[in-house]
mmCIF file of all heavy atoms in Angstrom:
data_model
loop_
_atom_site.group_PDB
_atom_site.id
_atom_site.type_symbol
_atom_site.label_atom_id
_atom_site.label_comp_id
_atom_site.label_asym_id
_atom_site.label_seq_id
_atom_site.Cartn_x
_atom_site.Cartn_y
_atom_site.Cartn_z
ATOM 1 N N ASP Q 706 -21.463 7.017 -15.495
ATOM 2 C CA ASP Q 706 -22.330 7.842 -16.349
ATOM 3 C C ASP Q 706 -21.773 9.253 -16.502
ATOM 4 O O ASP Q 706 -21.746 9.803 -17.609
ATOM 5 C CB ASP Q 706 -23.757 7.901 -15.790
ATOM 6 C CG ASP Q 706 -24.504 6.583 -15.944
ATOM 7 O OD1 ASP Q 706 -24.054 5.726 -16.759
ATOM 8 O OD2 ASP Q 706 -25.525 6.400 -15.252
ATOM 9 N N PHE Q 707 -21.323 9.858 -15.388
ATOM 10 C CA PHE Q 707 -20.766 11.214 -15.449
ATOM 11 C C PHE Q 707 -19.505 11.253 -16.310
ATOM 12 O O PHE Q 707 -19.271 12.202 -17.057
ATOM 13 C CB PHE Q 707 -20.459 11.755 -14.049
ATOM 14 C CG PHE Q 707 -21.655 11.879 -13.141
ATOM 15 C CD1 PHE Q 707 -21.525 11.685 -11.776
ATOM 16 C CD2 PHE Q 707 -22.918 12.210 -13.635
ATOM 17 C CE1 PHE Q 707 -22.621 11.806 -10.917
ATOM 18 C CE2 PHE Q 707 -24.018 12.332 -12.787
ATOM 19 C CZ PHE Q 707 -23.867 12.125 -11.432
ATOM 20 N N LEU Q 708 -18.680 10.204 -16.193
ATOM 21 C CA LEU Q 708 -17.461 10.139 -17.008
ATOM 22 C C LEU Q 708 -17.804 9.931 -18.482
ATOM 23 O O LEU Q 708 -17.193 10.553 -19.356
ATOM 24 C CB LEU Q 708 -16.533 9.029 -16.501
ATOM 25 C CG LEU Q 708 -15.850 9.300 -15.160
ATOM 26 C CD1 LEU Q 708 -15.192 8.044 -14.611
ATOM 27 C CD2 LEU Q 708 -14.847 10.448 -15.264
ATOM 28 N N LYS Q 709 -18.785 9.074 -18.768
ATOM 29 C CA LYS Q 709 -19.206 8.831 -20.155
ATOM 30 C C LYS Q 709 -19.645 10.128 -20.836
ATOM 31 O O LYS Q 709 -19.366 10.335 -22.012
ATOM 32 C CB LYS Q 709 -20.361 7.828 -20.209
ATOM 33 C CG LYS Q 709 -19.952 6.395 -20.145
ATOM 34 C CD LYS Q 709 -21.183 5.489 -20.268
ATOM 35 C CE LYS Q 709 -20.804 4.041 -20.063
ATOM 36 N NZ LYS Q 709 -21.992 3.176 -19.957
ATOM 37 N N GLU Q 710 -20.350 10.985 -20.086
ATOM 38 C CA GLU Q 710 -20.831 12.262 -20.630
ATOM 39 C C GLU Q 710 -19.691 13.109 -21.181
ATOM 40 O O GLU Q 710 -19.895 13.916 -22.081
ATOM 41 C CB GLU Q 710 -21.572 13.061 -19.554
ATOM 42 C CG GLU Q 710 -22.936 12.520 -19.207
ATOM 43 C CD GLU Q 710 -23.565 13.243 -18.011
ATOM 44 O OE1 GLU Q 710 -23.059 14.320 -17.610
ATOM 45 O OE2 GLU Q 710 -24.551 12.719 -17.475
ATOM 46 N N LEU Q 711 -18.481 12.927 -20.639
ATOM 47 C CA LEU Q 711 -17.328 13.722 -21.082
ATOM 48 C C LEU Q 711 -16.763 13.221 -22.416
ATOM 49 O O LEU Q 711 -16.032 13.944 -23.079
ATOM 50 C CB LEU Q 711 -16.253 13.733 -19.998
ATOM 51 C CG LEU Q 711 -16.709 14.344 -18.660
ATOM 52 C CD1 LEU Q 711 -15.649 14.128 -17.591
ATOM 53 C CD2 LEU Q 711 -17.046 15.817 -18.811
ATOM 54 N N GLY Q 712 -17.080 11.973 -22.782
ATOM 55 C CA GLY Q 712 -16.746 11.471 -24.109
ATOM 56 C C GLY Q 712 -15.427 10.747 -24.326
ATOM 57 O O GLY Q 712 -14.898 10.766 -25.439
ATOM 58 N N PRO Q 713 -14.875 10.071 -23.308
ATOM 59 C CA PRO Q 713 -13.655 9.298 -23.584
ATOM 60 C C PRO Q 713 -13.974 8.102 -24.476
ATOM 61 O O PRO Q 713 -15.140 7.705 -24.590
ATOM 62 C CB PRO Q 713 -13.211 8.837 -22.195
ATOM 63 C CG PRO Q 713 -14.482 8.732 -21.420
ATOM 64 C CD PRO Q 713 -15.353 9.861 -21.940
ATOM 65 N N ASP Q 714 -12.957 7.536 -25.104
ATOM 66 C CA ASP Q 714 -13.150 6.333 -25.914
ATOM 67 C C ASP Q 714 -13.388 5.109 -25.035
ATOM 68 O O ASP Q 714 -14.160 4.228 -25.386
ATOM 69 C CB ASP Q 714 -11.923 6.087 -26.803
ATOM 70 C CG ASP Q 714 -11.689 7.239 -27.761
ATOM 71 O OD1 ASP Q 714 -12.643 7.648 -28.444
ATOM 72 O OD2 ASP Q 714 -10.550 7.747 -27.803
ATOM 73 N N VAL Q 715 -12.674 5.052 -23.919
ATOM 74 C CA VAL Q 715 -12.715 3.881 -23.043
ATOM 75 C C VAL Q 715 -12.697 4.347 -21.588
ATOM 76 O O VAL Q 715 -11.980 5.287 -21.245
ATOM 77 C CB VAL Q 715 -11.467 2.983 -23.282
ATOM 78 C CG1 VAL Q 715 -11.465 1.774 -22.356
ATOM 79 C CG2 VAL Q 715 -11.369 2.548 -24.731
ATOM 80 N N ILE Q 716 -13.484 3.668 -20.753
ATOM 81 C CA ILE Q 716 -13.404 3.868 -19.306
ATOM 82 C C ILE Q 716 -12.992 2.526 -18.709
ATOM 83 O O ILE Q 716 -13.640 1.514 -18.956
ATOM 84 C CB ILE Q 716 -14.746 4.330 -18.699
ATOM 85 C CG1 ILE Q 716 -15.140 5.695 -19.280
ATOM 86 C CG2 ILE Q 716 -14.648 4.402 -17.168
ATOM 87 C CD1 ILE Q 716 -16.534 6.153 -18.877
ATOM 88 N N VAL Q 717 -11.894 2.531 -17.961
ATOM 89 C CA VAL Q 717 -11.402 1.324 -17.312
ATOM 90 C C VAL Q 717 -11.602 1.494 -15.810
ATOM 91 O O VAL Q 717 -11.113 2.466 -15.217
ATOM 92 C CB VAL Q 717 -9.902 1.089 -17.618
ATOM 93 C CG1 VAL Q 717 -9.376 -0.106 -16.836
ATOM 94 C CG2 VAL Q 717 -9.683 0.908 -19.112
ATOM 95 N N VAL Q 718 -12.331 0.561 -15.211
ATOM 96 C CA VAL Q 718 -12.542 0.575 -13.765
ATOM 97 C C VAL Q 718 -11.739 -0.580 -13.181
ATOM 98 O O VAL Q 718 -12.051 -1.740 -13.417
ATOM 99 C CB VAL Q 718 -14.035 0.420 -13.404
ATOM 100 C CG1 VAL Q 718 -14.215 0.464 -11.887
ATOM 101 C CG2 VAL Q 718 -14.869 1.506 -14.075
ATOM 102 N N LEU Q 719 -10.692 -0.244 -12.458
ATOM 103 C CA LEU Q 719 -9.870 -1.281 -11.823
ATOM 104 C C LEU Q 719 -10.451 -1.620 -10.463
ATOM 105 O O LEU Q 719 -10.819 -0.727 -9.702
ATOM 106 C CB LEU Q 719 -8.435 -0.788 -11.627
ATOM 107 C CG LEU Q 719 -7.512 -0.786 -12.822
ATOM 108 C CD1 LEU Q 719 -6.109 -0.365 -12.384
ATOM 109 C CD2 LEU Q 719 -7.452 -2.141 -13.489
ATOM 110 N N ASP Q 720 -10.513 -2.895 -10.178
ATOM 111 C CA ASP Q 720 -10.973 -3.360 -8.883
ATOM 112 C C ASP Q 720 -9.859 -3.073 -7.876
ATOM 113 O O ASP Q 720 -8.778 -3.653 -7.963
ATOM 114 C CB ASP Q 720 -11.259 -4.863 -8.976
ATOM 115 C CG ASP Q 720 -11.809 -5.429 -7.683
ATOM 116 O OD1 ASP Q 720 -12.225 -4.637 -6.803
ATOM 117 O OD2 ASP Q 720 -11.817 -6.665 -7.550
ATOM 118 N N PHE Q 721 -10.117 -2.134 -6.956
ATOM 119 C CA PHE Q 721 -9.097 -1.782 -5.975
ATOM 120 C C PHE Q 721 -9.101 -2.841 -4.872
ATOM 121 O O PHE Q 721 -9.664 -2.674 -3.805
ATOM 122 C CB PHE Q 721 -9.316 -0.379 -5.403
ATOM 123 C CG PHE Q 721 -8.097 0.139 -4.707
ATOM 124 C CD1 PHE Q 721 -7.049 0.682 -5.424
ATOM 125 C CD2 PHE Q 721 -7.981 0.050 -3.332
ATOM 126 C CE1 PHE Q 721 -5.900 1.123 -4.778
ATOM 127 C CE2 PHE Q 721 -6.840 0.492 -2.679
ATOM 128 C CZ PHE Q 721 -5.801 1.029 -3.408
ATOM 129 N N ASP Q 722 -8.444 -3.954 -5.188
ATOM 130 C CA ASP Q 722 -8.393 -5.099 -4.283
ATOM 131 C C ASP Q 722 -6.996 -5.201 -3.667
ATOM 132 O O ASP Q 722 -6.143 -4.350 -3.894
ATOM 133 C CB ASP Q 722 -8.777 -6.382 -5.029
ATOM 134 C CG ASP Q 722 -7.865 -6.650 -6.227
ATOM 135 O OD1 ASP Q 722 -6.815 -5.979 -6.384
ATOM 136 O OD2 ASP Q 722 -8.209 -7.550 -7.016
ATOM 137 N N GLU Q 723 -6.803 -6.264 -2.887
ATOM 138 C CA GLU Q 723 -5.514 -6.439 -2.212
ATOM 139 C C GLU Q 723 -4.353 -6.534 -3.193
ATOM 140 O O GLU Q 723 -3.279 -6.004 -2.950
ATOM 141 C CB GLU Q 723 -5.542 -7.683 -1.327
ATOM 142 C CG GLU Q 723 -5.625 -7.336 0.132
ATOM 143 C CD GLU Q 723 -5.697 -8.560 1.019
ATOM 144 O OE1 GLU Q 723 -4.698 -9.307 1.072
ATOM 145 O OE2 GLU Q 723 -6.761 -8.747 1.631
ATOM 146 N N GLU Q 724 -4.589 -7.199 -4.311
ATOM 147 C CA GLU Q 724 -3.521 -7.342 -5.303
ATOM 148 C C GLU Q 724 -3.101 -5.978 -5.849
ATOM 149 O O GLU Q 724 -1.916 -5.668 -5.929
ATOM 150 C CB GLU Q 724 -4.001 -8.244 -6.450
ATOM 151 C CG GLU Q 724 -2.918 -8.515 -7.477
ATOM 152 C CD GLU Q 724 -3.416 -9.371 -8.638
ATOM 153 O OE1 GLU Q 724 -4.517 -9.942 -8.541
ATOM 154 O OE2 GLU Q 724 -2.687 -9.421 -9.645
ATOM 155 N N LEU Q 725 -4.082 -5.153 -6.191
ATOM 156 C CA LEU Q 725 -3.770 -3.832 -6.742
ATOM 157 C C LEU Q 725 -3.101 -2.947 -5.696
ATOM 158 O O LEU Q 725 -2.132 -2.250 -5.994
ATOM 159 C CB LEU Q 725 -5.039 -3.161 -7.284
ATOM 160 C CG LEU Q 725 -4.827 -1.850 -8.029
ATOM 161 C CD1 LEU Q 725 -3.966 -2.061 -9.273
ATOM 162 C CD2 LEU Q 725 -6.155 -1.242 -8.435
ATOM 163 N N GLN Q 726 -3.582 -3.008 -4.459
ATOM 164 C CA GLN Q 726 -3.023 -2.111 -3.446
ATOM 165 C C GLN Q 726 -1.610 -2.501 -3.010
ATOM 166 O O GLN Q 726 -0.921 -1.693 -2.399
ATOM 167 C CB GLN Q 726 -3.939 -1.926 -2.245
ATOM 168 C CG GLN Q 726 -4.443 -3.153 -1.574
ATOM 169 C CD GLN Q 726 -5.359 -2.833 -0.415
ATOM 170 O OE1 GLN Q 726 -4.941 -2.219 0.560
ATOM 171 N NE2 GLN Q 726 -6.591 -3.253 -0.499
ATOM 172 N N THR Q 727 -1.164 -3.721 -3.362
ATOM 173 C CA THR Q 727 0.199 -4.103 -2.998
ATOM 174 C C THR Q 727 1.212 -3.817 -4.116
ATOM 175 O O THR Q 727 2.403 -3.979 -3.912
ATOM 176 C CB THR Q 727 0.283 -5.592 -2.612
ATOM 177 O OG1 THR Q 727 -0.184 -6.368 -3.704
ATOM 178 C CG2 THR Q 727 -0.539 -5.888 -1.366
ATOM 179 N N LEU Q 728 0.732 -3.387 -5.291
ATOM 180 C CA LEU Q 728 1.670 -3.041 -6.366
ATOM 181 C C LEU Q 728 2.460 -1.795 -5.982
ATOM 182 O O LEU Q 728 1.895 -0.807 -5.515
ATOM 183 C CB LEU Q 728 0.917 -2.749 -7.675
ATOM 184 C CG LEU Q 728 0.210 -3.884 -8.396
ATOM 185 C CD1 LEU Q 728 -0.453 -3.357 -9.666
ATOM 186 C CD2 LEU Q 728 1.173 -5.007 -8.742
ATOM 187 N N SER Q 729 3.750 -1.829 -6.229
ATOM 188 C CA SER Q 729 4.563 -0.624 -6.016
ATOM 189 C C SER Q 729 4.223 0.384 -7.098
ATOM 190 O O SER Q 729 3.575 0.050 -8.100
ATOM 191 C CB SER Q 729 6.049 -0.974 -6.090
ATOM 192 O OG SER Q 729 6.385 -1.322 -7.426
ATOM 193 N N ALA Q 730 4.664 1.610 -6.928
ATOM 194 C CA ALA Q 730 4.440 2.634 -7.940
ATOM 195 C C ALA Q 730 5.032 2.194 -9.281
ATOM 196 O O ALA Q 730 4.420 2.358 -10.337
ATOM 197 C CB ALA Q 730 5.050 3.960 -7.489
ATOM 198 N N ASP Q 731 6.207 1.591 -9.224
ATOM 199 C CA ASP Q 731 6.883 1.107 -10.430
ATOM 200 C C ASP Q 731 6.076 -0.011 -11.098
ATOM 201 O O ASP Q 731 5.881 -0.016 -12.316
ATOM 202 C CB ASP Q 731 8.286 0.608 -10.057
ATOM 203 C CG ASP Q 731 9.249 0.704 -11.230
ATOM 204 O OD1 ASP Q 731 8.826 0.447 -12.366
ATOM 205 O OD2 ASP Q 731 10.420 1.040 -10.998
ATOM 206 N N GLU Q 732 5.590 -0.959 -10.278
ATOM 207 C CA GLU Q 732 4.800 -2.073 -10.826
ATOM 208 C C GLU Q 732 3.483 -1.581 -11.421
ATOM 209 O O GLU Q 732 3.061 -2.039 -12.478
ATOM 210 C CB GLU Q 732 4.504 -3.107 -9.729
ATOM 211 C CG GLU Q 732 5.717 -3.884 -9.277
ATOM 212 C CD GLU Q 732 5.453 -4.700 -8.017
ATOM 213 O OE1 GLU Q 732 4.638 -4.278 -7.168
ATOM 214 O OE2 GLU Q 732 6.075 -5.769 -7.892
ATOM 215 N N PHE Q 733 2.826 -0.656 -10.732
ATOM 216 C CA PHE Q 733 1.567 -0.099 -11.246
ATOM 217 C C PHE Q 733 1.809 0.552 -12.610
ATOM 218 O O PHE Q 733 1.057 0.355 -13.558
ATOM 219 C CB PHE Q 733 0.987 0.926 -10.262
ATOM 220 C CG PHE Q 733 -0.257 1.605 -10.770
ATOM 221 C CD1 PHE Q 733 -1.505 0.998 -10.638
ATOM 222 C CD2 PHE Q 733 -0.182 2.846 -11.394
ATOM 223 C CE1 PHE Q 733 -2.652 1.611 -11.120
ATOM 224 C CE2 PHE Q 733 -1.324 3.466 -11.877
ATOM 225 C CZ PHE Q 733 -2.564 2.847 -11.739
ATOM 226 N N THR Q 734 2.882 1.308 -12.690
ATOM 227 C CA THR Q 734 3.221 1.995 -13.938
ATOM 228 C C THR Q 734 3.495 0.989 -15.052
ATOM 229 O O THR Q 734 2.938 1.101 -16.140
ATOM 230 C CB THR Q 734 4.441 2.909 -13.727
ATOM 231 O OG1 THR Q 734 4.138 3.836 -12.675
ATOM 232 C CG2 THR Q 734 4.767 3.691 -14.979
ATOM 233 N N SER Q 735 4.340 0.001 -14.773
ATOM 234 C CA SER Q 735 4.718 -0.986 -15.793
ATOM 235 C C SER Q 735 3.544 -1.866 -16.203
ATOM 236 O O SER Q 735 3.292 -2.060 -17.396
ATOM 237 C CB SER Q 735 5.838 -1.888 -15.282
ATOM 238 O OG SER Q 735 6.989 -1.124 -15.037
ATOM 239 N N LYS Q 736 2.841 -2.425 -15.221
ATOM 240 C CA LYS Q 736 1.782 -3.398 -15.508
ATOM 241 C C LYS Q 736 0.503 -2.766 -16.034
ATOM 242 O O LYS Q 736 -0.117 -3.287 -16.952
ATOM 243 C CB LYS Q 736 1.463 -4.213 -14.252
ATOM 244 C CG LYS Q 736 2.572 -5.150 -13.851
ATOM 245 C CD LYS Q 736 2.215 -5.929 -12.594
ATOM 246 C CE LYS Q 736 3.340 -6.896 -12.241
ATOM 247 N NZ LYS Q 736 3.046 -7.677 -11.051
ATOM 248 N N ILE Q 737 0.099 -1.659 -15.439
ATOM 249 C CA ILE Q 737 -1.196 -1.067 -15.791
ATOM 250 C C ILE Q 737 -1.037 -0.004 -16.880
ATOM 251 O O ILE Q 737 -1.604 -0.117 -17.967
ATOM 252 C CB ILE Q 737 -1.898 -0.461 -14.554
ATOM 253 C CG1 ILE Q 737 -1.987 -1.464 -13.407
ATOM 254 C CG2 ILE Q 737 -3.264 0.113 -14.943
ATOM 255 C CD1 ILE Q 737 -2.840 -2.678 -13.630
ATOM 256 N N LEU Q 738 -0.288 1.042 -16.581
ATOM 257 C CA LEU Q 738 -0.205 2.171 -17.516
ATOM 258 C C LEU Q 738 0.487 1.800 -18.826
ATOM 259 O O LEU Q 738 0.027 2.183 -19.902
ATOM 260 C CB LEU Q 738 0.504 3.361 -16.861
ATOM 261 C CG LEU Q 738 -0.204 3.961 -15.646
ATOM 262 C CD1 LEU Q 738 0.631 5.090 -15.053
ATOM 263 C CD2 LEU Q 738 -1.602 4.462 -16.018
ATOM 264 N N VAL Q 739 1.582 1.048 -18.744
ATOM 265 C CA VAL Q 739 2.350 0.715 -19.951
ATOM 266 C C VAL Q 739 1.828 -0.559 -20.625
ATOM 267 O O VAL Q 739 1.382 -0.533 -21.774
ATOM 268 C CB VAL Q 739 3.862 0.614 -19.630
ATOM 269 C CG1 VAL Q 739 4.639 0.184 -20.859
ATOM 270 C CG2 VAL Q 739 4.385 1.957 -19.111
ATOM 271 N N ALA Q 740 1.863 -1.680 -19.914
ATOM 272 C CA ALA Q 740 1.509 -2.967 -20.541
ATOM 273 C C ALA Q 740 0.026 -3.065 -20.895
ATOM 274 O O ALA Q 740 -0.324 -3.526 -21.979
ATOM 275 C CB ALA Q 740 1.903 -4.119 -19.621
ATOM 276 N N GLU Q 741 -0.861 -2.643 -19.988
ATOM 277 C CA GLU Q 741 -2.292 -2.788 -20.238
ATOM 278 C C GLU Q 741 -2.866 -1.658 -21.091
ATOM 279 O O GLU Q 741 -3.670 -1.892 -21.984
ATOM 280 C CB GLU Q 741 -3.070 -2.860 -18.915
ATOM 281 C CG GLU Q 741 -2.865 -4.153 -18.162
ATOM 282 C CD GLU Q 741 -3.395 -5.377 -18.914
ATOM 283 O OE1 GLU Q 741 -4.465 -5.281 -19.545
ATOM 284 O OE2 GLU Q 741 -2.729 -6.420 -18.865
ATOM 285 N N LEU Q 742 -2.490 -0.409 -20.778
ATOM 286 C CA LEU Q 742 -3.154 0.738 -21.414
ATOM 287 C C LEU Q 742 -2.340 1.405 -22.521
ATOM 288 O O LEU Q 742 -2.848 2.279 -23.202
ATOM 289 C CB LEU Q 742 -3.551 1.761 -20.344
ATOM 290 C CG LEU Q 742 -4.473 1.208 -19.245
ATOM 291 C CD1 LEU Q 742 -4.803 2.293 -18.239
ATOM 292 C CD2 LEU Q 742 -5.740 0.614 -19.840
ATOM 293 N N ASN Q 743 -1.091 0.999 -22.690
ATOM 294 C CA ASN Q 743 -0.233 1.558 -23.740
ATOM 295 C C ASN Q 743 -0.204 3.087 -23.672
ATOM 296 O O ASN Q 743 -0.425 3.783 -24.672
ATOM 297 C CB ASN Q 743 -0.709 1.069 -25.118
ATOM 298 C CG ASN Q 743 0.342 1.248 -26.192
ATOM 299 O OD1 ASN Q 743 1.464 1.656 -25.926
ATOM 300 N ND2 ASN Q 743 -0.047 0.960 -27.426
#
Side-chain angles (χ1 to χ4, degrees):
D706 289 343
F707 299 147
L708 289 168
K709 278 182 186 171
E710 287 173 13
L711 299 172
D714 299 310
V715 178
I716 297 173
V717 175
V718 181
L719 282 184
D720 183 14
F721 196 80
D722 58 11
E723 254 178 67
E724 184 182 348
L725 187 62
Q726 52 181 297
T727 58
L728 292 180
S729 69
D731 207 322
E732 290 169 328
F733 176 83
T734 303
S735 297
K736 291 180 178 180
I737 308 295
L738 297 177
V739 176
E741 289 296 321
L742 302 180
N743 197 5

